[in-house]
Amino acid sequence: MISGKDITVLIMAAGESKRMQDIKQLLPWKDSNFLLEIIKTAKNSRVGSVHLVLGAHAERIVDKCSLNDLHVDYMINPNWQMGLGNSIAYGVNHLLSLASRPQGILICLADQPLMTSDYLNLMVENFIQNPNRIIATNYTQKTGVPALFPITFYEKLSQLKDDYGAKEILKRYRKETIGLNAGKGIIDIDTKAAYEQLITDTQ
């Protein structure tokens, strides 16, 4: 039977953050920054391991976050400019090259600072009960990430190329997807205004 330890989190943090006009991964948040907090959130959940895909500003992010001291497996996608889909494929192919393949890959974003370990655990619990289904997050009229994919979707994830991430897979396989509600956890922070509002709302 699948357990949380059989599931790997893949955090996507390769983007350039053009709309933010700053390095989004390093924006101050709580006691550290966006990236370190999502890593902490993932590590505090029931998953077995946490992996990270970097791209733009990789050297600075590794240095500022002291990633080499955190025991987090990170990789740098040389083709990060090709978009989120390409970085997902890069990360998934890396996971598939490891000696022990995960039974589920939980894709998270570095720009959802309100995501909680409890919600990730809820995704894991639903996946354990439905190991052949995608467990995704409900948005207004669609599902999106965080999303937990079973082995049967690894090949499709490994072949993503564009900037739409896993959206097309989630759209095409809607009947094979269970959508969960993350509440405020689904808020993406893409602009300075959104970041400033986040700080105002959480003070």
Side-chain angles (χ1 to χ4, degrees), residues 44-47 116-126:
N44 287 338
S45 72
R46 294 171 54 193
V47 302
T116 67
S117 299
D118 286 343
Y119 179 70
L120 298 184
N121 286 338
L122 178 63
M123 299 190 81
V124 169
E125 290 167 11
N126 275 268

Side-chain angles (χ1 to χ4, degrees), residues 147-186:
L148 208 174
F149 294 88
I151 288 175
T152 48
F153 287 90
Y154 288 1
E155 183 176 358
K156 293 178 177 63
L157 291 170
S158 72
Q159 295 173 353
L160 291 173
K161 296 178 181 179
D162 54 36
D163 196 32
Y164 294 103
K167 289 180 182 178
E168 288 304 313
I169 294 176
L170 294 172
K171 184 177 179 181
R172 187 181 310 170
Y173 295 95
R174 192 173 300 169
K175 292 183 179 179
E176 286 86 0
T177 300
I178 296 173
L180 303 179
N181 295 318
K184 293 181 179 179
I186 65 170

Side-chain angles (χ1 to χ4, degrees), residues 14-29:
E16 190 176 13
S17 313
K18 275 187 178 181
R19 294 172 62 192
M20 181 65 69
Q21 298 180 332
D22 202 346
I23 302 178
K24 188 191 304 186
Q25 299 91 326
L26 299 179
L27 288 174
W29 178 242

Side-chain angles (χ1 to χ4, degrees), residues 92-138:
V92 169
N93 279 305
H94 170 77
L95 295 179
L96 298 184
S97 73
L98 301 179
S100 179
R101 291 187 175 189
Q103 295 296 306
I105 297 176
L106 174 48
I107 296 174
C108 294
L109 302 178
D111 63 353
Q112 292 184 322
L114 298 180
M115 192 56 57
T116 67
S117 299
D118 286 343
Y119 179 70
L120 298 184
N121 286 338
L122 178 63
M123 299 190 81
V124 169
E125 290 167 11
N126 275 268
F127 185 74
I128 290 171
Q129 296 169 8
N130 303 275
N132 298 312
R133 306 280 293 276
I134 299 171
I135 311 299
T137 300
N138 285 330

Side-chain angles (χ1 to χ4, degrees), residues 9 14 28 39 49 54 56 81 124 126 138 161 184 186-187 203:
V9 168
I39 290 173
S49 61
L54 300 175
Q81 299 97 327
V124 169
N126 275 268
N138 285 330
K161 296 178 181 179
K184 293 181 179 179
I186 65 170
I187 296 174
Q203 282 179 343

Side-chain angles (χ1 to χ4, degrees), residues 19-21 24 27 188-196:
R19 294 172 62 192
M20 181 65 69
Q21 298 180 332
K24 188 191 304 186
L27 288 174
D188 297 330
I189 307 300
D190 292 321
T191 64
K192 281 282 189 184
Y195 175 61
E196 290 167 0

